[in-house]
Amino acid sequence: MVDPQRILSVSELNRMARELLETSFPLFWISGEISNLTRAASGHWYFSLKDQGAQVRCVMFRSRNAYLDWSPREGDKVEARAVVTLYEARGDFQLTIEFLQRAGLGNLFEAYEKLKNQLAAEGLFAAEHKIAIPAHPRQIGIVTSPDAAALRDVLTTLRRRMPAVNVIIYPTPVQGKGAAKLIADAIRTADQRAECDVLIVCRGGGSIEDLWQFNEEIVARAIHVCTLPVISAVGHETDFTIADFVADVRAPTPTAAAELTTPDRSSLLNTLLQHRNRLARSMQNLLQQRSQHLDYLSRRLLSPMQQAEHKRQHLSQLRLRLTQAMARQLQRQHQHLQAVQQSLAHLNPRAVLQRGYALVEKLNGELVQDSNQLAPGDQVKLTLSKGSAQAEIRDKGT
């Protein structure tokens, strides 16, 4: 409580009033019509919200309005999430706007969340239903309006990244009454024809009302039953539609969808060049290794002439060794022969005869070695060193 006897300054009064207002009014929603809209150089927005009976000053700071994907205009019916405050310097009562949307969007968001929860419960968003996007599609289908800027973005990106890929457009309105059914029909037509490897469903950015056709159940179910892999590229990066959740892949923009469906030609060529250079280096290294190995083998390999020379040298060595062996063998045999000859010479009876002895034989050739072999009157033959003689035995001793 303020002491009634206390004299307040204007600044104190305004500060106390601001604190009272901010604590008494939590964050709340308010609806009204925009008037006196001013966009300051600082980026802040200043305007009034009014209805038939009153108006209130508002400010939306740049840190908040930067998140809006649409720009309000004079006379727009809006719904704002705000807090009550007081601008102390002038004592102006005002609202600080935290979020701003077009009037009626609350119902749209409610419908959006309800359908999203229903389809999620049915399993339409489940990962096991997702189909992989082919890495190198030969033909790409696009479901969109022929006049849409999104189509030009997609085609430009495809020509830049992979000009050889074929494109089939399945034209359909993407905005307005009845567009959801036509979009679903175009998706079913692409699926039935089965002439594409991947299907892009796209449109450019816009308000939630502009994108609402892609939040319709008929479009979600058409995407779900499509046997072609589907990429949803609706609106800007911050926009999320039911189609995004059902599709096999969500692309933040149509341009990003084109990038997802095609490899970058320049990147492929660069990768191919890198592989070629790596292969060339590998081949060069292999050839150098084989060349070095060949040099090593060639140093070990002898020519036929060198081999013949080695054989001749070996043969000469064998001949020399054989000759030496034969010579040694002949020498040993000669020595043995001499020894035998000496032994024979010693045993030769004629050698004994040469010393004056005689060999006595009976006439029948019997060698007489014992006198008992003889009797007086026997005729014997005497063999001398030179010649022989006959004799008669007259007497014999013992």
Side-chain angles (χ1 to χ4, degrees), residues 249-391:
V249 174
R250 174 195 179 259
T253 63
T255 298
E259 293 174 347
L260 285 173
T261 55
T262 54
D264 185 11
R265 181 174 179 272
S266 59
S267 297
L268 287 178
L269 291 176
N270 184 51
T271 302
L272 181 62
L273 180 61
Q274 292 177 357
H275 287 322
R276 185 181 69 179
N277 292 338
R278 190 155 48 242
L279 179 61
R281 287 194 298 269
S282 298
M283 289 298 297
Q284 183 66 26
N285 292 336
L286 182 61
L287 289 175
Q288 289 176 351
Q289 293 175 8
R290 291 293 184 265
S291 178
Q292 291 177 356
H293 187 61
L294 183 61
D295 290 341
Y296 169 74
L297 294 177
S298 66
R299 287 193 295 269
R300 298 181 57 190
L301 181 65
L302 299 177
S303 67
M305 294 184 63
Q306 289 176 318
Q307 290 182 358
E309 181 62 26
H310 282 196
K311 294 296 183 184
R312 282 195 295 270
Q313 292 178 359
H314 184 61
L315 185 60
S316 297
Q317 293 175 357
L318 292 177
R319 186 182 296 113
L320 177 61
R321 290 169 57 187
L322 179 60
T323 301
Q324 293 174 345
M326 290 178 64
R328 288 192 296 269
Q329 184 67 18
L330 287 174
Q331 180 67 24
R332 285 194 296 268
Q333 294 298 326
H334 180 69
Q335 292 173 353
H336 180 67
L337 181 59
Q338 287 180 340
V340 172
Q341 287 177 342
Q342 289 177 358
S343 298
L344 288 176
H346 289 309
L347 297 175
N348 190 351
R350 293 189 178 278
V352 177
L353 296 178
Q354 290 177 353
R355 293 197 298 269
Y357 293 97
L359 182 65
V360 180
E361 295 176 290
K362 290 183 177 182
L363 294 180
N364 61 2
E366 180 183 354
L367 181 65
V368 178
Q369 297 175 329
D370 189 346
S371 60
N372 291 326
Q373 294 178 257
L374 299 173
D378 288 344
Q379 297 290 322
V380 293
K381 178 181 178 181
L382 301 175
T383 301
L384 306 174
S385 175
K386 292 183 180 180
S388 62
Q390 286 188 354

Side-chain angles (χ1 to χ4, degrees), residues 7-18 86-92:
I7 300 175
L8 301 174
S9 67
V10 176
S11 297
E12 287 177 325
L13 174 62
N14 285 354
R15 183 175 66 256
M16 294 173 65
R18 178 182 62 79
L86 183 126
Y87 183 49
E88 295 182 31
R90 290 200 303 267
D92 289 341

